[in-house]
Amino acid sequence: MKLLSKLCVVAASVVVAAGLAAAPATAKTAPRQAFSDVPASSQFAAAIDWLAQKHITTGYADDTFRPTRTITREAMAAFLYRLDGSPAEAAPASAPFPDVPRDGHFAKEIAWLAGTHITTGFADGGFHPTAAITREAMAAFLYRYAAMKGTGDTASYQEPATSSFLDVAHSAQFSLEVSWLASTGITTGWQVGRGCEQFRPTASITREAMAAFLYRYATAGAKPGTAAPVTCDAPPAGEGSFSGDAGTLKVGTAVQPGTYVSSTPSSGPGCSWARLSAAGDDAADTLASDLGAPGSQVIVTIDPADAYFATSGCGTWKALTGPTAQKPLTTIPGDGGTYVVGWGVRPGTYASTTPASGPVCFYRRLSSADGSVAAILDDEVAVPGERVVVTIEPGDLYFHTEGCGTWQALG
């Protein structure tokens, strides 16, 4: 498998609250297997060995690299400083930041980082050297380093109209830098279903992931334009949140069009909602409606053409702006309600047995969450004690289940 395709797995590594050791081991000439805890069979061995051969890292005194340990901001400063060839830099006359002592272990590297304007620190004036560096901060550091070196066409790079990632809006502080990082192929983010990707900007970074980022930057030359076009088929996003007992709301004023999710209280009659073409009690004005069972998840898409949206007995409605789980379920609660396929549940074939004491087991495969009959791709009602099997197709957008036993993936 090509290294460039592995970032989804790279950055999903376990992160722990620890940083680089205070005193790295003496530099060594790295063989093919540079560290005892990085076997040659590791998918990150090439990047980590390259890091050692370039003396960007020297590892720890016990001949380990500790690949899944979280990298700190001061360690990131040291890595970039060494990537630049460890330029001659006298110890700073004064501390570059109040939380970086002049005689601190990485004071010289941090002073270089500040002097090159790769970092400006935080609003409180500090650098926060021992804090784990976030993925968005790493993107900003690499972007500024590339700009300083004149690589990656940073001066002419234009952020595209469509964001590469679900969780990085154009209004985000580092959206340009993250977009550039994606355009170079240095990062590919996480595949979260339906052709959509996340960057997880505030997540921390492991040492092996940092090795991969730097290796890709240095060996690929940070060439923009290598990223695949965005093909994300996300539900139309809502805005903000509103009470599940708000009554009738005017669409476009009290509530914005888009997709929303609510968790129905476990006690009470259930979550009732309706999309309306006009206010009032005339049944002809109801475009679609539903009643969510107690304790289940409810998802609805409010269309821009709707005049009103009515809600009663629901939990707080929140805009559905991204995956409901990082790892979609392969075991689905039979009374769970509605899930986004690819985000909440994985496509595949599942089996359930209707509880003998229950009324019926009911499921639906859906192409939309607007509550319309046209959105139903397939549905079935199973009597108590009956075994039922369903195949959730990759093209399905939602799966609804109530009154069933736990769905177990087959095969």
Side-chain angles (χ1 to χ4, degrees), residues 74 91-92 94-108 110-111 129:
E74 64 184 4
S94 59
F97 299 99
D99 56 353
V100 179
R102 183 172 177 269
D103 58 352
H105 184 62
F106 292 118
K108 180 172 64 174
I110 295 171

Side-chain angles (χ1 to χ4, degrees), residues 8 15 17 30 45 53 118 128 180 194 201 206 218 232 266 313 325 355 360 366 407:
C8 303
V15 292
Q53 290 158 9
I118 293 173
H128 304 186
W180 171 84
R194 299 166 64 146
T206 59
C232 179
S266 56
V360 292
L366 301 165
W407 293 92

